[in-house]
Amino acid sequence: MEMIKSFSVDHTRIVPGIFISRVDHLGEETVTTYDIRLKRPNREPVLDVAAMHSLEHIIATYLRNDPDGKDEVIYWGPMGCLTGFYLILKGNRTPQGIYELMLNAFRSVRDAQEVPGTAPENCGYCRMHNLDMAKWYADEFADYLEANADNSDIFAYPEIERLVTDDGQKFFDS
């Protein structure tokens, strides 16, 4: 079985940032999945689950209401490893091309007075939210993005280097 792209990223070297996880061509439509990484995998504590849930609600609401991007948004949701989010957009913008969108989305969290969509009718686990921690994480990430805007490492995945056999096969150890 072929290894999926997200498992070929060197998680020991990835830094927080905005990365292209994959690009799919669905007929005439191009769809891009972005890795919005807030934490260094296996080196930093993961995001608090309740805060991550709140970030999911607030930023999904922001993205789906942003006049410059709402028609492109397909999905915004958490990574299973709790180190970041996936954003799926129509089109194929570069990570730098969505930098301002992400910066503004995370900055919008600071102004939130409540988490949208938290009534039992709107949310699968409405009691699991933490707005204060969501604001803290959002500010931390937005500050980081601003401080590192000129650092190309926050826009390019570090690839795992693999040995290649004489017949062109990549070597994967166990």
Side-chain angles (χ1 to χ4, degrees), residues 134-147:
K135 288 181 177 201
W136 188 86
Y137 285 124
D139 277 342
E140 177 187 53
F141 187 60
D143 290 347
Y144 173 87
L145 286 178
E146 287 182 325

Side-chain angles (χ1 to χ4, degrees), residues 7-169:
F7 294 155
S8 67
V9 174
D10 188 342
H11 284 71
T12 66
R13 293 180 20 226
I14 196 169
V15 297
I18 303 167
F19 310 98
I20 290 179
S21 179
R22 62 183 287 158
V23 178
D24 295 294
H25 303 284
L26 310 171
E28 299 291 318
E29 191 80 60
T30 299
V31 175
T32 305
T33 302
Y34 299 90
D35 171 334
I36 311 301
R37 189 71 61 145
L38 279 69
K39 296 293 178 182
R40 295 171 199 256
N42 305 307
R43 290 184 281 165
E44 290 184 81
V46 298
L47 295 165
D48 171 77
V49 176
M52 187 168 219
H53 192 197
S54 296
L55 285 170
E56 176 192 11
H57 279 236
I58 297 165
I59 293 176
T61 301
Y62 175 86
L63 292 171
R64 289 189 174 95
N65 285 281
D66 179 66
D68 296 323
K70 69 181 179 180
D71 294 332
E72 296 177 34
V73 176
I74 296 172
Y75 174 79
W76 168 262
M79 292 179 175
C81 63
L82 305 176
T83 62
F85 293 86
Y86 286 113
L87 172 63
I88 303 174
L89 296 176
K90 295 176 189 173
N92 189 15
R93 292 199 263 169
T94 65
Q96 295 89 335
I98 66 163
Y99 171 86
E100 289 295 328
L101 177 66
M102 287 293 89
L103 182 61
N104 292 337
F106 278 89
R107 284 290 183 221
S108 77
V109 176
R110 95 167 36 132
D111 298 328
Q113 298 300 310
E114 62 184 12
V115 179
T118 58
E121 300 82 11
N122 307 122
C123 180
Y125 194 27
C126 64
R127 293 185 183 127
M128 187 181 67
H129 286 280
N130 187 332
L131 179 58
D132 290 335
M133 279 303 298
K135 288 181 177 201
W136 188 86
Y137 285 124
D139 277 342
E140 177 187 53
F141 187 60
D143 290 347
Y144 173 87
L145 286 178
E146 287 182 325
N148 289 279
D150 295 329
N151 179 355
S152 63
D153 289 347
I154 73 165
F155 299 114
Y157 268 152
E159 297 291 328
I160 293 176
E161 294 181 24
R162 304 275 186 202
L163 296 174
V164 178
T165 63
D166 290 338
D167 63 352
Q169 298 292 314

